[in-house]
Each structure stands twice: as C-alpha cells, then as structure tokens.
Amino acid sequence: MDVLKDYLPAAKGYLPYYLLVTSIIAVGNSLQNYLTLHFSRRLYNGQFVPNTSLPPKTATFNPEDSTKKLVPASSASNSKEARTQDQVTPLAARLFGTYTIISAIVRLYAAYNLHLAPVYQITLWTYVVALVHFGSEFAVYRTAYLGPIATTFFFATVGIAWMASQYNFYVEM
C-alpha cells in the first residue's frame, strides 16, 4: 500500500483525492468518446428532424448554417417520410472527448497543486463549464436526458460547492 501512497497527492484534506478520482473518471470518459458513440447516445435525446420553420436559403441566410436547423423528433414533427438525424456524430464525440481530456489534465494537475490560486480557479471553472453545458443541454436545448446526466450534475455540483467553500483552506496567499 505504501507504493500507491507515493503517487497520491500530498496536500491536506480530501479535495485533492476528489480531483484525482474525477480526473481518472474523465480520462475513461474521454477514451470512450474516441472509441464508440454508444454511451454518448444514451446521454442525448438522439433523433432530430430538419426544422421546417426556418426561412429558405437567401444571399444572407443559409438554413444549413443555423444552430436551429434540427429540432427534436416528435410524433407531430416526425412523419413516416421524414428522415431523422442523430446529433451525436463521430466529430461531436471526438470534440467532447478532447474537452474532457483537457478537464482531466487540469484536475489532475490541481490535485497536486491546490495551493496555487490560478490552478485552483481554473479547476473550479472546469466543473462550472461541465454543469452549464449539461444543464443547458437538458433545460434549454432539450437534447439530454436527466437520468444519464444526473451523475455529471452530482460531480460538478459537489466540485463547485467544495472548491468554492474551501478556497482559503487550500490556496496559499
């Protein structure tokens, strides 16, 4: 057990271990995003159809460039002849995997350097960005299911609350 102890963060308290664990989880999630779309598809609502309420293409507007070009498929909007599209694409998965590995690196670095204010602050922001991303996908864009993203809400909320409340304990002024 002493061999493992040499690699664990030497900082006081338990927050460094929390950051280490969430970093390891994020590395796994990032690898998963590069290898398969299966798990990401479970997070997001899946099927969308073209938004027929957008105006036609003009010299100044192209509906293909609109962030609202797809709307969630429903029985009303999804007639049998409409072709549904999945928003979880290989490109989206790789982008998400890249963001996730960056968050993992930041959290891993912070686990060993919580005494540095800029490192502490940027790590706190990784949790804020995750919470805002998944919260907006669920509440604003309606593209995510609450069940699968509940663990992300949990880890991000705990990380934000813990880091915000313990700033003066860890950061050396």
Side-chain angles (χ1 to χ4, degrees), residues 25 27 36 51 55 85 137:
I25 292 169
V27 168
T36 180
N51 185 353
Q85 298 175 13
E137 291 298 331

Side-chain angles (χ1 to χ4, degrees), residues 37 46 61 64 89 112 127 139 171:
L37 300 179
F61 177 77
E64 284 298 311
T89 65
Y112 296 91
Y127 290 111
V171 175

Side-chain angles (χ1 to χ4, degrees), residues 55-136:
K57 183 177 180 177
T58 64
T60 59
F61 177 77
N62 184 349
E64 284 298 311
D65 294 337
S66 173
T67 58
K68 298 178 188 332
K69 75 178 189 175
L70 298 175
V71 293
S74 67
S75 57
S77 69
N78 189 17
S79 63
K80 289 184 180 175
E81 58 274 356
R83 184 173 164 260
T84 62
Q85 298 175 13
D86 190 345
Q87 289 207 102
V88 180
T89 65
L91 174 60
R94 291 189 305 272
L95 287 169
F96 192 72
T98 301
Y99 160 76
T100 304
I101 198 71
I102 290 169
S103 292
I105 292 166
V106 169
R107 292 173 191 162
L108 181 64
Y109 190 81
Y112 296 91
N113 296 283
L114 277 178
H115 62 284
L116 302 173
V119 172
Y120 196 99
Q121 293 162 5
I122 199 84
T123 303
L124 177 57
W125 277 107
T126 66
Y127 290 111
V128 171
V129 169
L131 186 64
V132 169
H133 166 72
F134 284 104
S136 65

Side-chain angles (χ1 to χ4, degrees), residues 6-73:
D6 292 338
Y7 294 101
L8 294 176
K12 55 191 173 185
Y14 294 106
L15 182 57
Y17 301 118
Y18 181 80
L19 296 173
L20 182 64
V21 168
T22 58
S23 179
I24 292 167
I25 292 169
V27 168
N29 182 263
S30 182
L31 291 173
Q32 173 268 161
N33 274 284
Y34 277 95
L35 298 174
T36 180
L37 300 179
H38 176 75
F39 298 104
S40 295
R41 282 189 168 140
R42 289 177 43 203
L43 296 176
Y44 297 98
N45 289 345
Q47 299 302 304
F48 289 75
V49 294
N51 185 353
T52 56
S53 67
L54 291 176
K57 183 177 180 177
T58 64
T60 59
F61 177 77
N62 184 349
E64 284 298 311
D65 294 337
S66 173
T67 58
K68 298 178 188 332
K69 75 178 189 175
L70 298 175
V71 293

